Amino acid sequence: QVQLVESGGGLVQAGGSLRLSCAASGSIFSINAMGWYRQAPGKQRELVAAITSGGSTNYADSVKGRFTISRDNAKNTVYLQMNSLKPEDTAVYYCNVKYRDSSWYEHTNWGQGTQVTVSS
């Protein structure tokens, strides 16, 4: 059993910053990719940013230059630093972790989601 605990969401004015955190714990042998997705009302869930175990990153075009994803492998934690926030960034943000257990099976877990609201 693997748990993901997210934190850091909230209400911020346009132009402001927030930092999201997601800590993974439980029966993890190794973590492959970690990432953040978001879902706005009436829209599909979309990838915001992802980072591999080697540190390679991938960003949605809409957040490039404003958001930065990072991870602390020792803590099994992924972060999303969000700067220059815009009202269109308002959504529920979900942490996503792809990991292998001790039998080398690959799993994907989702966090419970954290609300980010950007006011204009």
Side-chain angles (χ1 to χ4, degrees):
Q1 191 81 10
V2 171
Q3 296 81 37
L4 301 181
V5 178
E6 301 175 4
S7 62
L11 172 64
V12 66
Q13 287 188 332
S17 298
L18 284 174
R19 188 190 194 211
L20 305 183
S21 300
C22 174
S25 62
S27 303
I28 298 171
F29 183 77
S30 68
I31 293 180
N32 298 337
M34 307 180 82
W36 291 93
Y37 288 70
R38 67 186 181 187
Q39 188 166 18
K43 294 188 177 181
Q44 289 189 333
R45 190 173 298 189
E46 62 175 0
L47 173 69
V48 176
I51 185 167
T52 68
S53 57
S56 297
T57 58
N58 181 39
Y59 295 93
D61 288 342
S62 60
V63 307
K64 284 180 180 177
R66 300 188 298 122
F67 291 10
T68 302
I69 190 170
S70 61
R71 62 189 284 177
D72 184 333
N73 291 331
K75 297 181 179 179
N76 287 342
T77 300
V78 62
Y79 306 95
L80 185 68
Q81 178 66 43
M82 304 185 293
N83 298 328
S84 302
L85 283 161
K86 303 175 181 179
E88 50 263 44
D89 294 318
T90 295
V92 178
Y93 283 69
Y94 296 92
C95 174
N96 175 281
V97 175
K98 295 179 173 57
Y99 68 95
R100 293 189 183 274
D101 61 21
S102 58
S103 298
W104 208 240
Y105 290 122
E106 187 171 77
H107 304 267
T108 298
N109 270 37
W110 292 91
Q112 78 279 8
T114 185
Q115 177 70 45
V116 171
T117 303
V118 184
S119 63
S120 58

